[in-house]
Amino acid sequence: MPTLPESHLPYTDKYFIRSRIVLEREGMNPWVTVQVFFRNGPGVIQGVEEAAEVFRAYSPLAAHGGRVLALPDGGVFKPLEPVMHIEGPVLDVIELETMYLGILASRTSVANGLPSPDPAAVAARAGAIRRMLPAKHLMYFGARHWHWSMEEAICEAAIRAGFDSCATDAGARAAGLAAGVGTIPHALVVVFASFVGPAHATREAALAFDRDIEAGCPRIALVDTFNREMDDALDTARALGSRLWGVRLDTAGELVGQGGAAFDGRVFATGPGVSVTGTAAVRRALDEAGFEHVNIVLSSGFGDLDKVAAFAEAERRQGRLFEALGIGGLFDAWHATADIVRVQGRPLAKAGRAYHGSPRLLRIV
């Protein structure tokens, strides 16, 4: 195992750092359960003990009575099966997700036959996306998909090939940029839902972000947490008005976005996840309500060149759809995913996710 850096913060997605600031300033620190799984599989997990060191090095989780349960290194798992449960105060865990997921993803990917990312190949894929979308803002969002020790090299390759920004400070500085970018993750919206309810959690999280984060950071609301993409985009736009730069769609691959269409054979246009029809529905709803100034940011699956091409072609045919993409998949990996699934012991999660107990998980922290 490589020696951990002195601080996890340079290797942390900026939206987790900003989420901690918001939660601290709003006085929110509920007890949460975070669940980790892989979509890939069956496979063998690796990186568990190394991930445990992240909690020991950077968090008072154990001292506060929290714990981490996981499959041991070498354990066999199935797709979607929980491989880790993290329990404790949200402020003890929210900043660590990028680093522990990257460790699990990289070590597990290699254990199951994938090579480490090649920066030249990363640059080639990033360059292909830039050529398809010459006028869009492209952000590299893949820090959680590989080990933190490669973050600088991967970000430098993506930026050199035409990407505009990345999500970590370490990656940004390696690429000659000032800092990482990012606003609101699902975790922040779920925590707000535990206080104000799901109906207006997206709006209230965005309002808190607007109160607590420096004015120079664009206000971009994540609006898919509860599969109410249109409703929450409008609710937030009415609350923030001209201060809202944009909304982000990151609809889970298990769900059809609000306003989208069931799969009818048109790949990427219809069906679950972030689709052309779902995006167009949000764009239309914003425009009809007088919020033409609100931009749309898309993430989830846009490392797939066919998906990028489908959205580029749809915009050529239909007119304005989106202004920016957040892209993590610039290389092949077994992606580990983490979700808050319980708050204060009660079930609460983004749409499409739920807590699943597993007697196979052993305490590691």
Side-chain angles (χ1 to χ4, degrees), residues 7 19 26 31 39 45 94 133 136 139 170 180 185 197 209 217 228 232 240 274 283 289 303 320 326 357:
S7 172
S19 292
E26 299 296 320
W31 191 275
R39 292 186 184 279
I45 193 169
I94 195 163
L133 299 172
K136 302 300 184 183
M139 301 171 283
F209 188 97
C217 178
R228 295 162 35 94
D232 283 336
L240 269 71
V274 178
R283 181 71 271 159
R320 179 189 182 200

Side-chain angles (χ1 to χ4, degrees), residues 289-362:
F291 298 115
E292 295 92 345
H293 75 278
V294 176
N295 301 292
I296 292 180
V297 180
L298 304 177
S299 52
S300 186
F302 287 93
D304 184 331
L305 299 183
D306 290 337
K307 185 169 187 175
V308 175
F311 273 75
E313 177 58 28
E315 192 169 76
R316 280 191 288 271
R317 293 196 317 269
Q318 301 177 27
R320 179 189 182 200
L321 285 177
F322 65 100
E323 280 70 39
L325 293 182
I327 302 171
L330 294 180
F331 50 86
D332 294 334
W334 285 38
H335 296 169
T337 297
D339 300 290
I340 293 177
V341 290
R342 296 193 298 196
V343 182
Q344 295 295 114
R346 298 186 299 273
L348 183 60
K350 64 179 284 189
R353 304 289 160 78
Y355 173 79
H356 298 285
S358 173
R360 302 182 62 212
L361 304 184
L362 307 177

Side-chain angles (χ1 to χ4, degrees), residues 5 7-13 17 151-152 167-173:
S7 172
H8 62 290
L9 295 176
Y11 298 94
T12 296
D13 286 309
I17 296 172
E151 177 67 359
E152 286 98 337
T168 68
D169 287 344
R173 290 166 187 163

Side-chain angles (χ1 to χ4, degrees), residues 9-194:
L9 295 176
Y11 298 94
T12 296
D13 286 309
K14 185 55 71 76
Y15 68 6
F16 289 131
I17 296 172
R18 290 189 166 127
S19 292
R20 182 187 178 94
I21 292 170
V22 171
L23 293 172
E24 286 179 331
R25 293 181 178 174
E26 299 296 320
M28 296 178 172
N29 191 23
W31 191 275
V32 299
T33 301
V34 178
Q35 184 167 268
V36 178
F37 69 91
F38 288 87
R39 292 186 184 279
N40 309 78
V44 174
I45 193 169
Q46 291 291 349
V48 175
E49 185 52 38
E50 188 176 354
E53 286 300 316
V54 171
F55 292 94
R56 299 186 186 113
Y58 305 125
S59 174
L61 179 70
H64 291 165
R67 61 179 187 165
V68 180
L69 310 174
L71 287 181
D73 283 319
V76 176
F77 63 89
K78 297 179 293 186
L80 307 183
E81 176 186 2
V83 298
M84 182 178 283
H85 282 149
I86 304 153
E87 301 169 355
V90 68
L91 290 178
D92 289 355
V93 302
I94 195 163
E95 287 183 343
L96 305 184
E97 183 175 316
T98 309
M99 187 170 275
Y100 70 72
L101 286 186
I103 290 169
L104 291 173
S106 59
R107 301 304 190 200
T108 300
S109 294
V110 171
N112 290 279
L114 288 182
S116 294
D118 173 12
V122 167
R125 191 178 299 193
I129 295 170
R130 170 50 75 203
R131 288 189 292 276
M132 283 189 277
L133 299 172
K136 302 300 184 183
H137 189 96
L138 303 180
M139 301 171 283
Y140 173 62
F141 277 5
R144 74 194 58 201
H145 297 330
W146 207 262
H147 199 276
W148 59 268
S149 61
M150 283 198 68
E151 177 67 359
E152 286 98 337
I154 293 171
C155 287
E156 193 279 330
I159 300 299
R160 174 167 42 84
F163 272 43
D164 299 285
S165 57
C166 58
T168 68
D169 287 344
R173 290 166 187 163
L177 306 175
V181 301
T183 55
I184 295 173
H186 294 109
L188 185 65
V189 180
V190 171
V191 171
F192 267 81
S194 73

Side-chain angles (χ1 to χ4, degrees), residues 224-290:
D224 66 275
T225 305
F226 299 110
N227 204 202
R228 295 162 35 94
E229 288 84 348
M230 296 167 64
D231 292 344
D232 283 336
L234 292 172
D235 192 27
T236 306
R238 294 185 186 108
L240 269 71
S242 62
R243 301 192 307 282
L244 184 65
W245 186 91
V247 297
R248 180 163 71 95
L249 304 179
D250 190 58
T251 305
E254 298 87 355
L255 302 171
V256 174
Q258 185 185 26
F263 185 64
D264 62 5
R266 292 179 294 160
V267 179
F268 306 124
T270 59
V274 178
S275 68
V276 170
T277 53
T279 303
V282 174
R283 181 71 271 159
R284 187 165 53 250
L286 288 167
D287 291 348
E288 290 175 355

